Amino acid sequence: MTMQLTGIHHLTAITANAPANLRFYTQVLGLRLVKKTVNQDDTSAYHLFYADGLASPGTDLTFFDWPVGHERRGTHSISRTGLRVGSTDSLQWWKDHFQKQKVRAGEIRDVGGRPSLDFEDGEGQRFRLVVDDSGAPSHPWEKSPVPAEHQIKGLGPITLSVPDLRNTKIVLTDVMNMTETSTYPAPEGTGEVHVFSMGEGGPSAELHVAVEPDLPAAHQGAGAVHHVAFRAPDVEALHAWTERLRGLRVPSSGEVERYYFRSLYFREPNGILFEIATDGPGFAVDEPLETLGEALSLPPFLEPKRAQIEARLKPLA
């Protein structure tokens, strides 16, 4: 049986304003703050995780809080993050909601065969609400200001921008075992977007690759995406992916213990950072599900440095 990734695991982006970020994603988007921790490689920075009511894999939108300037948009990047909602009625609710909240948003339109609504956060982070009527289960957060039937169900599809498809396609299909399932005209500009599917497919398991050779190279900053992670069911599956990359001579980080999941990092040929992450053990491994995100959580290897770490962090309130 061919090894299969099962969908999008999480997406990590960059903010230069953690308090405003927290307000937007919890109060405007209605997501749940499920983990308040620090960047394990830079403990002066928050790492904030937002997700659904149960902190399910495939719903995590996360942010590094770094004091950086704004991104320079372009290719060689993850250019738009899909967020799934349940119906076209939900899209209309969100359009009205964004108007009231003065959020920059477009019009409801068809993108790649699905009703969609583009919007941006205050730092220019680019999103697309996409209707997912697949019947996939959702886990609303009971304390969300967004009505349960309109809450964001999770991530996907994720859009990459590359100047040339050829080498990226080889990695997606021959290394990562994705299948190219369709193409559609680029919503902005010219050219085509190529759809690659994982596992059973559907919007939670799609990567859309826009071929945009005329754009300059992107430069990361606030409003940019840092990396996208794909789902491996368990540690055994991750070991298999580690061996596969090694056997194909794809440079990688080797396996990294992130405590809430175990990960493997590598770059596709246009320099975009990919991660493969395990579904477990999850965010309730160190605090009760009922109170996720209320206190600063640190993995065991950072716990002895808690006092120093807390002293360097800015208040979120």
Side-chain angles (χ1 to χ4, degrees), residues 15-152:
T15 178
N17 187 340
N21 182 273
L22 178 64
R23 285 193 301 274
F24 182 85
Y25 288 91
T26 58
Q27 296 176 26
V28 178
L29 290 194
L31 297 171
R32 183 182 185 188
L33 178 67
V34 297
K35 192 61 61 178
K36 180 169 59 175
T37 186
V38 293
N39 183 323
Q40 293 181 12
D41 304 312
D42 173 14
T43 60
S44 68
Y46 280 111
H47 193 179
L48 303 177
F49 291 76
Y50 307 102
D52 68 2
L54 295 183
S56 311
T59 72
D60 309 333
L61 183 58
T62 97
F63 285 87
F64 295 143
D65 170 37
W66 285 334
V68 292
H70 198 269
E71 72 155 336
R72 183 181 71 206
R73 291 181 177 179
T75 190
H76 298 276
S77 69
I78 298 169
S79 57
R80 194 170 291 274
T81 301
L83 300 172
R84 296 175 290 112
V85 296
S87 68
T88 50
D89 286 346
S90 289
L91 284 188
Q92 187 59 55
W93 184 91
W94 280 102
K95 182 169 172 51
D96 296 341
H97 178 64
F98 288 151
Q99 193 168 10
K100 292 172 190 169
Q101 297 287 336
K102 296 181 171 55
V103 173
R104 185 175 179 181
E107 299 297 326
I108 297 171
R109 58 179 175 166
D110 181 285
V111 178
R114 297 190 183 103
S116 303
L117 175 64
D118 290 357
F119 72 96
E120 297 181 7
D121 76 0
E123 293 179 293
Q125 191 75 234
R126 289 171 283 175
F127 292 97
R128 175 170 293 143
L129 291 176
V130 175
V131 172
D132 175 8
D133 55 7
S134 65
S138 59
H139 306 286
W141 178 37
E142 61 183 17
K143 296 180 183 176
S144 174
V146 176
E149 67 270 24
H150 299 313
Q151 284 184 34
I152 291 164

Side-chain angles (χ1 to χ4, degrees), residues 179-223:
T179 303
E180 185 173 3
T181 50
S182 65
T183 61
Y184 62 89
E188 294 92 12
T190 58
E192 282 190 319
V193 180
H194 297 253
V195 177
F196 294 85
S197 295
M198 295 163 265
E200 297 179 0
S204 66
E206 286 179 0
L207 200 61
H208 293 198
V209 184
V211 182
E212 299 179 302
D214 297 330
L215 292 182
H219 181 75
Q220 286 190 341

Side-chain angles (χ1 to χ4, degrees), residues 149-168:
E149 67 270 24
H150 299 313
Q151 284 184 34
I152 291 164
K153 299 173 68 170
L155 288 164
I158 306 300
T159 302
L160 312 183
S161 173
V162 301
D164 188 303
L165 181 66
R166 288 170 293 181
N167 290 335
T168 296

